Amino acid sequence: MRNTFIAALTERAATDERIMLLTGDLGFRVVERFQERFPGRYLNGGIAEQDLIEVAAGLALEGYKPFVYSIASFPTLRCLEQIRNSVCNPELDVTVICIGGGFAYGQLGMTHHATEDMAAMRSMPCMEVLSPADPAEARAVAAYCFESTSPKYVRINRGGEPELEGAERVEGLPVQGLRGLVERARRAPAGVEGAAGAADVAIVATGAIAKEALEAADLLAQAGISCEVFTAPLVKPLDAEGIRAVAARTKLVATLEEHTVIGGLGSAVAEAIEDARVDGAHGLAPVLRIGIPDRFPDVVGDQRYLRQRFSMDAEGVTRRIREALGRA
Amino acid sequence: MAEALDRTIEAEEAVATSGAETVAEAPEESSAISVSPWVANSLVPATVDLARRVREDCLAMTSRSGAGHIASALSVVDILAVLYGSIMAVDPTNPDDPTRDRFILSKGHGGSAVYATLAELGFFDKNDLLKNYYANGSSFSGHVSHDVPGVELTTGSLGQGLGVACGIALAARLRAATWRVFCVMGDGECDEGSVWESALMASTQCLDRLTVIVDRNGMQSFGPTDDTALVLGDIAEKFRAFGWKAVDCDGHDHRALATALATPHGGQPLCVVAHTVKGKGVSFMEGDIRWHYDSASPQELGQAFSEFAGQGDGFPAGTAILRSGGVA
Ligand SMILES: Cc1ncc(C[n+]2csc(CCOP(=O)(O)OP(=O)(O)O)c2C)c(N)n1
């Protein structure tokens, strides 16, 4: 996805001369094409993320459209107050790009896990939070960033992710269409032609881990449980209407994110449903938040291994949903 | 390969009887340097031999697991060998000994070199390391982890270690303790503003139990520090301007390192800018940025090992062989 996003950015920079790419000494074998084509609009600001954000803010104040590239927690948590005060408060058109969302850099260790980033970014006024699930969404997210003038945070897994089921629906979306949940799949147990809109569970996932949700849908169907799967490329603003509609027609809404269960997609979905209840809505499904529990991994592991360890892989998701539905 | 890895007693004895020189001119006030009784008992092989074995371990570990940063590890090996082999008071049988000297690898991505050094000293089983480095379910994350015996602090986010080292040095003074703190940083790491905040803290507080060693290999993520990112210039001069005692030395010459580390610095923190070569010791890795990322194929590993075999005890060329406790 990172190459997809940077390729889109490079192409766009040919026609949008405001676009700049700032890197915090990262992106070897990724950013070079941009650098070659637009050397004057490429800047390696060194291993100095706080400064990089401030510089991006200054450029944006003067009408440039900077994209700041780094990995893990470095472009968010490392420079959180700079983002808050210098980017969000003045509502500047700065896009922060994180490669390595979740456990993408698993074995490198906890300093290289981006697992609280969405919570921190979501909590910033004006900040939009985008988290593509596959290359199709990465292209759509890039197109969205080219139009939006808000502060933006883009969380990308890494490289080499496959297109997921339903990718063609993303390709056809108008830019603002990305604000809605993306319907990915619907599974019913063999022989049961589930009435449209009456699935037992709806899984809402964000980021590359959506792949596990799609596999879980198959496993659930085998266990006699019907399932819908959506992706949320925008975690903020979240499609609250869409969430509410889904919650009204299912028994359980399960969220899946490679991120702490505190403050990310699961929290956003639960908040949207609770807000709907306050507005008087009835019969909305409860929310099962699947994500990283409130602790750091106790062992080393690659992305797959850590997903499994925290019951966030297809089997774990299936198990958690079956337990929640009382059909374990 | 197993043969090379398991080369132990014989090689150690060979060095011990080779009439190895000790560092003769330890400066007058060198009583500041404490040498562990464990070291004085000569259980540590000569530091040059230690360095060679650590290089072999690092190459084997990263090659086997596909982990990156081998060049960053090779760059720092001689610094670690001199520190652990002849200067720091540490006890592998009691890693948490309250009187131990503390060590923080702030450039956490060089972690394989610290693990290998600790394993060679006997902090834990070397075979465990060779087998489980970077492996699912283990403690040996790519960036150095304090879940491993002998490691004080998990690092990986650059610019993190020096401030913590300042806190430890402050605690040493508050407790009137005699142990010291050593912190190794990358030169690119010195881009981080936090480094310079800590540098001011250290000089303001006259933290003379603190020594920082900058692994000045002149490279960071894209290539030469000063050409690809920020201009670092004369790092020792910068530390002097920040109130430190600072010296330059050859970071692969063990005698020069030991002498530099023995520089009297009463009342001030000491900075040793160790001039090194990224990828040191493997001809095809030296100075090639590719090895910040790639790991050696089995064939490349064989090639690297054959270079060590050719070097015998003379590695690196022109380096004085330093005996354990030689600087006392
Ligand atoms: C805060 C932070 N930003 C970025 C990185 C990614 N990163 C890892 S190693 C590296 C280059 C380090 O260069 P240097 O400190 O000179 O060490 P070397 O590998 O050359 O020994 C970078 C940018 C990081 N680990 N931490």
Side-chain angles (χ1 to χ4, degrees):
Chain A
M1 282 194 269
R2 63 183 168 197
N3 287 327
T4 307
F5 189 95
I6 296 301
L9 183 70
T10 308
E11 193 183 318
R12 180 71 173 201
T15 52
D16 186 344
E17 296 192 346
R18 299 168 308 146
I19 288 180
M20 289 196 66
L21 179 58
L22 276 57
T23 173
D25 203 31
L26 284 155
F28 184 69
R29 297 168 179 154
V30 178
V31 300
E32 285 82 352
R33 253 183 69 79
F34 187 104
Q35 179 186 9
E36 278 157 26
R37 284 187 65 185
F38 312 107
R41 287 189 275 144
Y42 165 87
L43 176 67
N44 182 355
I47 312 169
E49 296 77 11
Q50 301 180 34
D51 181 60
L52 204 59
I53 293 292
E54 305 285 29
V55 170
L59 287 164
L61 270 177
E62 295 299 329
Y64 284 94
K65 191 173 168 70
F67 287 72
V68 178
Y69 181 103
S70 184
I71 67 165
S73 305
F74 311 143
T76 54
L77 306 190
R78 187 63 194 250
C79 45
L80 197 49
E81 203 195 45
Q82 284 77 11
I83 291 174
R84 176 178 183 267
N85 294 352
S86 299
V87 175
C88 292
N89 183 46
E91 295 182 41
L92 293 176
D93 187 353
V94 171
T95 305
V96 175
I97 306 166
C98 158
I99 309 298
F103 295 132
Y105 291 114
Q107 309 102 308
L108 288 183
M110 63 77 62
T111 55
H112 283 59
H113 300 162
T115 44
E116 306 81 24
D117 54 324
M118 290 198 289
M121 292 297 105
R122 258 190 84 224
S123 71
M124 297 289 156
C126 305
M127 180 62 96
E128 299 186 326
V129 178
L130 300 101
S131 157
D134 61 4
E137 282 192 8
R139 274 186 294 278
V141 161
Y144 185 95
C145 291
F146 302 149
E147 302 254 310
S148 163
T149 58
S150 299
K152 291 167 289 295
Y153 174 56
V154 179
R155 180 196 217 233
I156 290 174
N157 186 64
R158 209 171 158 178
E161 299 82 1
E163 295 287 12
L164 299 180
E165 184 177 342
E168 68 289 345
R169 250 165 266 145
V170 183
E171 301 282 7
L173 281 178
V175 169
Q176 289 304 321
L178 203 66
R179 284 178 172 248
L181 295 178
V182 179
E183 270 187 60
R184 288 290 183 162
R186 170 181 290 275
R187 299 273 192 283
V192 184
E193 275 318 308
D200 294 322
V201 60
I203 308 178
V204 181
T206 195
I209 198 169
K211 175 175 164 286
E212 308 285 348
L214 288 163
E215 287 171 30
D218 289 331
L219 298 174
L220 287 164
Q222 283 164 27
I225 295 167
S226 58
C227 180
E228 293 179 277
V229 179
F230 301 88
T231 51
L234 258 82
V235 173
K236 184 186 171 190
L238 183 70
D239 177 11
E241 284 300 308
I243 293 290
R244 185 176 170 154
V246 168
R249 64 174 193 243
T250 184
K251 292 183 193 129
L252 179 71
V253 175
T255 59
L256 178 62
E257 62 198 307
E258 201 161 308
H259 182 271
T260 168
V261 288
I262 299 173
L265 174 72
S267 297
V269 167
E271 288 159 14
I273 291 179
E274 209 51 38
D275 287 348
R277 285 205 183 94
V278 169
D279 289 344
H282 293 288
L284 300 182
V287 181
L288 169 66
R289 291 171 299 134
I290 306 178
I292 305 167
D294 187 21
R295 60 174 186 267
F296 294 111
D298 55 348
V299 292
V300 176
D302 59 25
Q303 189 169 36
R304 244 183 104 138
Y305 181 89
L306 292 177
R307 280 180 185 173
Q308 193 181 8
R309 194 163 179 93
F310 286 124
S311 294
M312 297 156 62
D313 63 337
E315 285 78 21
V317 169
T318 305
R319 196 167 54 243
R320 304 256 338 249
I321 289 173
R322 290 183 63 172
E323 281 164 11
L325 288 171
R327 294 170 68 176
Chain B
M1 187 175 108
E3 224 175 62
L5 290 178
D6 292 339
R7 182 195 306 137
T8 48
I9 316 289
E10 280 137 301
E12 285 165 28
E13 280 171 0
V15 173
T17 54
S18 69
E21 278 177 75
T22 55
V23 169
E25 22 355 81
E28 260 92 327
E29 294 101 272
S30 69
S31 57
I33 291 179
S34 49
V35 173
S36 141
W38 181 82
V39 168
N41 284 341
S42 289
L43 290 173
V44 188
T47 61
V48 170
D49 191 55
L50 173 62
R52 187 185 53 217
R53 283 181 290 126
V54 168
R55 282 194 164 86
E56 289 172 349
D57 298 344
C58 290
L59 283 158
M61 286 154 63
T62 50
S63 172
R64 184 178 192 279
S65 61
H69 300 130
I70 179 61
S72 311
L74 293 173
S75 171
V76 81
V77 164
D78 294 300
I79 296 167
L80 295 174
V82 170
L83 279 175
Y84 277 96
S86 71
I87 290 180
M88 281 173 30
V90 289
D91 181 355
T93 64
N94 185 12
D96 297 328
D97 181 348
T99 66
R100 72 192 182 279
D101 285 331
R102 275 70 164 164
F103 176 78
I104 289 180
L105 181 73
S106 193
K107 50 167 269 188
H109 58 288
S112 64
V114 169
Y115 294 152
T117 304
L118 293 172
E120 290 291 349
L121 294 189
F123 277 80
F124 45 84
D125 178 18
K126 178 167 131 183
N127 288 324
D128 182 26
L129 174 65
L130 293 175
K131 211 171 95 209
N132 290 318
Y133 172 71
Y134 219 64
N136 288 337
S138 84
S139 299
F140 300 112
S141 47
H143 293 75
V144 74
S145 163
H146 57 223
D147 290 338
V148 173
V151 177
E152 304 283 345
L153 183 72
T154 295
T155 55
S157 179
L158 295 165
Q160 175 191 0
L162 185 55
V164 178
C166 285
I168 293 173
L170 197 55
R173 199 179 61 211
L174 291 170
R175 297 214 185 105
T178 55
W179 41 265
R180 305 201 294 160
V181 195
F182 298 87
C183 173
V184 169
M185 300 194 298
D187 48 3
E189 181 175 7
C190 295
D191 289 354
E192 287 287 0
S194 58
V195 166
W196 302 101
E197 295 177 20
S198 305
L200 280 179
M201 166 64 77
S203 58
T204 302
Q205 289 295 326
C206 309
L207 298 178
D208 58 3
R209 310 217 68 78
L210 172 66
T211 297
V212 64
I213 300 110
V214 180
D215 180 2
R216 182 65 165 126
N217 57 32
M219 309 261 284
Q220 47 195 85
S221 287
F222 282 87
T225 51
D226 290 24
D227 298 343
T228 59
L230 302 176
V231 176
L232 286 162
D234 186 338
I235 293 178
E237 194 54 49
K238 286 185 171 57
F239 272 88
R240 277 191 284 272
F242 274 62
W244 289 53
K245 177 81 184 177
V247 295
D248 288 274
C249 78
D250 179 338
H252 298 302
D253 178 332
H254 290 209
R255 177 201 280 266
L257 273 167
T259 305
L261 287 163
T263 305
H265 59 105
Q268 282 178 302
L270 173 65
C271 171
V272 172
V273 178
H275 293 264
T276 54
V277 174
K278 198 157 173 165
K280 178 70 181 182
V282 179
S283 62
F284 59 90
M285 290 186 178
E286 290 188 0
D288 182 352
I289 197 63
R290 180 188 153 198
W291 300 101
H292 188 82
Y293 303 92
D294 294 349
S295 56
S297 67
Q299 193 196 351
E300 288 161 335
L301 186 65
Q303 201 178 327
F305 271 63
S306 68
E307 292 186 15
F308 290 121
Q311 279 167 333
D313 291 335
F315 175 80
T319 302
I321 295 176
L322 181 76
R323 294 290 300 280
S324 307
V327 289

